[in-house]
Amino acid sequence: MADHSAPAASAAVATAPQAAAPPATAFVAVVLANIALAFGPWFVRLAETGPVASAFWRITLAAPLVMGFALASGWRGKGLAGGLWLVLALSGVAFAADLASWHLGIVRTTLANATLFGNSATLIFPIYGFIAARMAPTRLQALALLLAALGGALLMGRSYSLDPRHLGGDLLCLLAGVLYACYFIFMARARTVMAPWPALALSTLASVAPLLLFALALGERILPDHWGPLIGLALASQVFGQGLMIYALGKLSPLVVGIALLIQPIVAATVGWIVYDERLALPDFAGAALVAAALVLVRRAG
């Protein structure tokens, strides 16, 4: 998945929403990335460690593979400007804070709520794209955003419970969504001059220490008896999910990436239905249909 495209091509992510239809391979990549990432909350629930410790292992177990892919792509870590190192360090810290708050929220609310609120970057990241480009969305783009917002509202309205026991988890996941948007902004900047695997490798390494320190500060259990869920979390969420996401981030506009994030609560809600009997109803399917329609539109509108 090495990507040596010119900076001008990938710079579109951090600036203007693209006028042309997004590349088919990148669109497939962002869909598959979100499907893989949607299984993360399930693995977190299965893990025998604390929630932040599971985030630490997600990063740590994935790091050798991600770095191996970066080196295999021909990257040798030379010629990076000081400003780029800072951007990558900030992306790693933002991602660590995102994972820590999200994993704490996952165990305090439903899978659907955790994934929906955790992907509030659905609206934040596209708004950033339009502001950075100093452009207003076209009618087709605005319609896609509206359909996505309605679909997300239906998903949230059906899955959300007024039970106060969920409130803390929902707020933590909402904070995670804001931090996730910050991570996207930093990584979009890095992707203007870097291929996906090297960018992901350095950001991943920058996340390790903050997550371990946070897990220790919370007094969480660090070592599990069974490693299966943590290995699954590392492979599905970090290697496969984030690998494809960072590739797509260099090819697609913030609008496309943001709306595609709503795939995750649909998949997570399905997993919650099958595994935890968190049942779906007609509004869930209607919300999923609206999100699908938004993706079709945004595939045309870019």
Side-chain angles (χ1 to χ4, degrees):
M1 195 158 48
D3 176 13
H4 301 287
S5 55
S10 54
V13 162
T15 56
Q18 299 165 350
T25 53
F27 194 78
V28 170
V30 80
V31 170
L32 292 177
N34 282 290
I35 291 173
L37 289 165
F39 285 86
W42 182 36
F43 286 122
V44 172
R45 283 193 178 184
L46 293 175
E48 297 172 339
T49 63
V52 178
S54 69
F56 163 73
W57 286 117
R58 162 182 166 166
I59 296 297
T60 302
L61 293 175
L65 277 175
V66 174
M67 183 58 72
F69 289 143
L71 294 175
S73 72
W75 176 74
R76 292 297 179 267
K78 298 179 180 179
L80 296 183
L84 184 56
W85 283 107
L86 177 61
V87 167
L88 290 167
L90 290 173
S91 74
V93 173
F95 192 53
D98 159 48
L99 287 182
S101 56
W102 191 41
H103 283 209
L104 285 170
I106 285 170
V107 296
R108 291 168 171 81
T109 187
T110 65
L111 287 187
N113 277 18
T115 311
L116 185 64
F117 286 120
N119 285 288
S120 55
T122 292
L123 295 178
I124 298 171
F125 192 50
I127 289 171
Y128 155 78
F130 289 119
I131 292 174
R134 298 180 181 179
M135 293 175 59
T138 66
R139 289 182 180 179
L140 203 57
Q141 291 170 334
L143 179 58
L145 270 174
L146 177 61
L147 290 176
L150 291 174
L154 282 172
L155 290 169
M156 180 176 66
R158 174 66 181 91
S159 66
Y160 182 66
S161 169
L162 294 178
D163 189 333
R165 292 176 298 177
H166 290 168
L167 181 59
D170 290 341
L171 291 176
L172 283 167
C173 292
L174 185 59
L175 172 62
V178 175
L179 292 166
Y180 199 28
C182 294
Y183 165 71
F184 275 164
I185 291 169
F186 289 128
M187 289 302 287
R189 289 180 177 274
R191 284 286 284 118
T192 62
V193 292
M194 292 186 72
W197 285 117
L200 181 60
L202 294 179
S203 176
T204 296
L205 292 176
S207 301
V208 173
L211 283 169
L212 178 59
L213 291 173
F214 194 17
L216 290 172
L218 290 174
E220 290 188 356
R221 178 181 177 181
I222 304 297
L223 294 174
D225 293 325
H226 302 92
W227 288 90
L230 294 175
I231 293 172
L233 180 64
L235 293 176
S237 294
Q238 194 64 19
V239 177
F240 190 74
Q242 283 299 321
L244 288 172
M245 183 68 78
I246 299 306
Y247 165 76
L249 198 61
K251 301 287 187 180
L252 303 175
S253 71
L255 177 67
V256 179
V257 174
I259 290 179
L261 290 175
L262 283 173
I263 294 171
Q264 288 189 50
I266 296 170
V267 177
T270 304
V271 173
W273 186 13
I274 295 171
V275 178
Y276 297 106
D277 199 30
E278 297 173 356
R279 294 187 176 275
L280 303 180
L282 182 59
D284 295 297
F285 296 108
L290 288 173
V291 170
L295 285 170
V296 171
L297 284 178
V298 84
R299 176 72 179 92
R300 296 174 54 195

